[in-house]
Amino acid sequence: MASLQVSRLVLSSSSSSSIPKAAVSIPKLPKFNVMVPKIPIKKQTLSVKEESFGLESLPLPLKQRRDSDPIQRARLVAVLEEVMDRIEMHKNIGDQRNNWNSLLLSSVNMITLTAALMAGIASVSVHGGDSITAVKIASTVLLTSATSIGALMSKIQPSQLAEEQRNATRLFKKLRTELERFLRENEEVSEEDVKEAIQRVLALDKAYPLPLLGTMLEKFPEEFKPATWWPENKQRNPRTGLAKGWSQELEMEMREVARVVKSRDAEEYEKLGNVMLKVNRFLAISGPVLTGISAVSSVFIGQDSGLAGIVAMTCASLAAIVNTLEHGGQVGMVFEMYRNSGGFFSLLEETMKSTEKRENGEVFETKVALKLGRSLSELRDLAKRSNLSQVKANEFASKLF
């Protein structure tokens, strides 16, 4: 028994001493103290704001320009919308006034000829009693109304009114195209661009007014004056500068063309405009005067002499002819066409003589040639011939004196 207990103790001690030494001898890892730095969140957010926006580092005019660009662009778009609205208004009113011309002309001629026929019947049947008196009174009333309508047509000139609205529609369409191209090609819009567009709209409103009362253009001025539909003092954008394609030779050519246009075409259209003004004034006065004489003569139909009936019928027939020539021939429209052409030459001369060139020189030369109905070679030959004639005239004058 004693020997068994000893052997158990030896085995247990040997096993317990050998197993842990072989299996659990793991080296201990050294302890590391890792110091994590704190991130300065507030400073980082402030630096991000400065990098993302950075407005404090910009000069004040640049900040104001960035803030105002969207506003100025929106203002220019608003001007464009008003221009499109005016195009529709002028087109509709032009159609209406063209209808006025045709309807009033047919009505006044029908009234005049009917009254002339009734005056003839009344003058032939002198002894008809009450029936002839009724015909005479009706003829007088119709001729009086024809006189009033003819005087109104001569005053407002419906054909000229229609031509004014057609010109306004065309010029507003041109302005719309220019504004749309400007918005498409330029990202930045300045306040000067908006002011220039507004001034052009107001100049067109003044040149071609819509209402008749108060603002209607004078149809019979004392002298012929070309139309002016552009601002007198144009607000130019200084950032555009000089465009490409301009040379000293081209500038001299444009100035010579402007001188030729002023001395030849503009003066010729001014003479023709004065002629049409006199013709229109004569016809505008003659029509109502003839119908008025016819109306007064119809009152004396049935007297001892048959002269009253002859005068009434003759004057009424002549009045119908005069009204047809004036309003059917649209003399007022022809006068307005000459007035608009004179304005075109004035604008062309002013543009060519301008010292500030905002458009490419070659493009501008092409536009001028097409507007004058010439090719580029013909335009250059015109400038050269005019320059040579001017030089010869100066030489001849120097020899004389």
Side-chain angles (χ1 to χ4, degrees):
M1 290 295 291
S3 61
L4 287 172
Q5 290 179 354
V6 171
S7 62
R8 287 178 183 175
L9 289 172
V10 171
L11 288 172
S12 63
S13 63
S14 62
S15 62
S16 63
S17 62
S18 62
I19 291 171
K21 287 182 180 178
V24 190
S25 60
I26 299 174
K28 293 183 180 181
L29 296 174
K31 293 182 180 181
F32 295 97
N33 293 325
V34 180
M35 299 297 293
V36 180
K38 294 182 179 181
I39 300 174
I41 299 174
K42 293 183 179 180
K43 292 183 180 179
Q44 189 174 2
T45 53
L46 288 175
S47 64
V48 170
K49 283 186 177 180
E50 290 177 359
E51 290 178 0
S52 59
F53 297 99
L55 293 179
E56 285 76 7
S57 61
L58 296 176
L60 185 59
L62 185 58
K63 290 192 294 183
Q64 290 178 351
R65 191 180 68 183
R66 286 192 178 183
D67 293 337
S68 61
D69 278 344
I71 298 175
Q72 302 304 332
R73 190 176 186 86
R75 290 178 64 192
L76 192 60
V77 171
V79 174
L80 177 60
E81 291 175 356
E82 290 297 324
V83 168
M84 296 173 70
D85 185 57
R86 278 170 168 77
I87 290 172
E88 191 66 24
M89 285 193 299
H90 282 283
K91 182 179 181 300
N92 294 336
I93 292 178
D95 294 339
Q96 179 197 38
R97 291 174 182 177
N98 190 31
N99 292 333
W100 282 2
N101 186 53
S102 58
L103 293 175
L104 289 174
L105 175 61
S106 59
S107 299
V108 73
N109 278 347
M110 189 179 297
I111 292 171
T112 304
L113 294 176
T114 302
L117 180 61
M118 294 175 72
I121 294 172
S123 63
V124 171
S125 304
V126 179
H127 304 288
D130 295 336
S131 61
I132 297 302
T133 303
V135 172
K136 183 176 69 174
I137 293 173
S139 175
T140 304
V141 171
L142 287 176
L143 287 171
T144 304
S145 62
T147 303
S148 302
I149 297 173
L152 178 63
M153 292 181 67
S154 298
K155 176 66 178 176
I156 64 175
Q157 293 290 314
S159 64
Q160 187 174 348
L161 290 175
E163 182 66 18
E164 289 174 5
Q165 303 309 313
R166 284 192 286 266
N167 289 331
T169 303
R170 177 178 57 83
L171 293 171
F172 270 115
K173 285 182 178 179
K174 182 180 179 181
L175 179 58
R176 182 191 65 181
T177 303
E178 292 178 1
L179 291 178
E180 288 176 348
R181 183 173 65 247
F182 181 83
L183 288 171
R184 187 169 57 250
E185 294 177 355
N186 297 275
E187 295 181 357
E188 294 184 359
V189 178
S190 66
E191 187 176 0
E192 293 161 357
D193 297 325
V194 179
K195 286 182 179 180
E196 182 180 353
I198 293 174
Q199 287 182 357
R200 293 181 66 181
V201 172
L202 295 179
L204 280 171
D205 287 341
K206 184 179 179 180
Y208 302 103
L210 284 172
L212 290 177
L213 300 177
T215 58
M216 185 180 69
L217 297 176
E218 179 63 34
K219 297 300 181 287
F220 303 101
E222 295 181 357
E223 60 180 3
F224 176 82
K225 291 182 179 180
T228 304
W229 61 83
W230 61 93
E232 294 181 359
N233 298 322
K234 293 184 179 181
Q235 295 291 333
R236 294 298 187 185
N237 193 347
R239 65 183 172 88
T240 54
L242 296 176
K244 297 180 180 180
W246 286 96
S247 61
Q248 187 176 3
E249 181 181 357
L250 182 57
E251 288 186 4
M252 294 298 296
E253 176 187 340
M254 290 295 103
R255 291 180 184 275
E256 196 63 33
V257 170
R259 192 186 65 80
V260 174
V261 167
K262 182 179 180 180
S263 61
R264 295 182 184 177
D265 297 336
E267 291 182 358
E268 181 180 357
Y269 272 85
E270 185 176 355
K271 291 179 182 178
L272 292 174
N274 284 317
V275 170
M276 294 308 300
L277 178 60
K278 294 177 181 178
V279 171
N280 194 22
R281 184 184 286 116
F282 173 76
L283 293 176
I285 294 173
S286 300
V289 167
L290 289 171
T291 50
I293 294 172
S294 180
V296 172
S297 301
S298 65
V299 176
F300 299 100
I301 292 176
Q303 303 296 328
D304 295 335
S305 176
L307 182 62
I310 296 173
V311 171
M313 288 187 295
T314 304
C315 290
S317 302
L318 289 175
I321 295 172
V322 169
N323 290 330
T324 303
L325 289 175
E326 181 185 6
H327 303 293
Q330 299 189 355
V331 180
M333 183 272 291
V334 177
F335 170 73
E336 180 63 26
M337 182 187 67
Y338 284 128
R339 201 174 73 90
N340 186 73
S341 299
F344 161 74
F345 288 122
S346 299
L347 178 61
L348 189 62
E349 178 189 358
E350 182 179 334
T351 306
M352 286 190 292
K353 286 185 176 181
S354 176
T355 57
E356 185 177 3
K357 305 299 186 297
R358 303 177 63 188
E359 191 175 6
N360 185 278
E362 297 178 356
V363 176
F364 182 76
E365 184 185 17
T366 304
K367 287 183 178 181
V368 170
L370 292 176
K371 287 179 179 179
L372 295 176
R374 301 173 183 270
S375 63
L376 288 175
S377 58
E378 291 175 348
L379 185 69
R380 291 165 184 167
D381 291 340
L382 175 66
K384 290 179 181 178
R385 289 197 302 268
S386 176
N387 191 14
L388 289 175
S389 62
Q390 186 70 19
V391 170
K392 290 180 180 179
N394 292 335
E395 292 178 354
F396 181 74
S398 62
K399 289 179 180 179
L400 288 177
F401 299 102

